[in-house]
């Protein structure tokens, strides 16, 4: 069975600074996807970034980038130039690769609550 | 497109009562699922469906029933609510058969309290 671990329950960062959120996972699969979701106080789940395990290049979306270390089973999220709107709970999630709906199941970590201070 | 909609947004039940959480999507997605979110535990999969007439259990299915008679709707039924079912419930949908290439869209959630 796959597991996802986020060891930082809470983090704080000053506006405009850079912060890194950690995520490790355990799987025996060789092909999979990793995600970071953001949940602001509105409770809406928003996809931040996605990484395909077969791609060596780290994914980037504007101020958000990941450091994907497949051998170490590590998938950290870096937020550059932090903004007040980045304040949210961040969840790391794993999905097994395959075809057919049974592989669309997301396994989530317990989340990291990020507070961006003015 | 309304995306994924859930009703109600909030609900309070007494132990033993039954209710149905509604979920609908207008994106013609084959795959739909229900998650529950509890403090300190992230989101956990309750049930999922890969198409009309096809459902299966997730990680925490006990106490919940689902059915999928149409592509658009995927209701979650609590037959006899228990305090352990106090949680926030999310419905999600995506295209199926692409192995994660398509984004899963989440509804706004339903906060359920069982007294």
């Amino acid at each position: 069975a796959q597991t996802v671990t986020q060891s930082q329950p809470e983090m704080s960062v000053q506006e405009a600074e850079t912060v890194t959120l950690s995520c490790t996972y355990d799987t025996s699969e060789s092909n999979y996807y990793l995600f970071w979701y953001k949940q602001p106080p509105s409770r809406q789940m928003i996809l931040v970034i996605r990484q395909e395990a077969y791609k060596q290049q780290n994914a980037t979306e504007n101020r958000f980038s990941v450091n994907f270390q497949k051998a170490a089973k590590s998938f950290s999220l870096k937020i550059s130039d932090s903004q007040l709107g980045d304040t949210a709970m961040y969840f790391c999630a794993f999905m097994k690769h395959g075809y057919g709906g049974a592989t669309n199941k997301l396994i989530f970590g317990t989340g990291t609550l990020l507070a961006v201070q003015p | 497109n309304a995306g994924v909609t859930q009703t109600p947004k909030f609900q309070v039940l007494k132990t033993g009562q039954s209710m149905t959480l509604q979920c609908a999507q207008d994106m013609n997605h084959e795959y739909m699922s229900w998650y529950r979110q509890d403090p300190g535990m992230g989101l956990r999969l309750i049930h999922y469906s890969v198409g009309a007439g096809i459902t299966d259990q997730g990680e925490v299915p006990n106490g919940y029933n689902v059915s999928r008679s149409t592509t658009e709707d995927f209701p979650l039924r609590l037959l006899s609510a228990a305090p352990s079912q106090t949680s926030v419930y999310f419905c999600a949908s995506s295209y199926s058969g692409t192995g994660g290439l398509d984004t899963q869209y989440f509804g706004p959630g339903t906060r359920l309290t069982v007294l």
Side-chain angles (χ1 to χ4, degrees), chain A residues 59-80:
Chain A
T60 300
E61 288 286 342
N62 301 315
R63 299 183 293 107
F64 299 88
S65 61
V66 298
N67 183 4
F68 173 49
Q69 302 288 329
K70 191 172 184 179
K73 296 180 181 173
S74 169
F75 182 60
S76 60
L77 174 69
K78 185 171 84 170
I79 306 174
S80 303

Side-chain angles (χ1 to χ4, degrees), chain B residues 65-106:
Chain B
N65 282 347
V66 293
S67 59
R68 183 105 178 261
S69 55
T70 67
T71 299
E72 295 77 21
D73 301 297
F74 189 44
L76 179 72
R77 296 183 186 85
L78 285 69
L79 295 179
S80 179
S84 61
Q85 293 177 304
T86 293
S87 188
V88 179
Y89 292 85
F90 288 95
C91 180
S93 75
S94 69
Y95 289 111
S96 182
T98 57
L101 289 175
D102 286 293
T103 300
Q104 287 207 34
Y105 294 87
F106 282 81

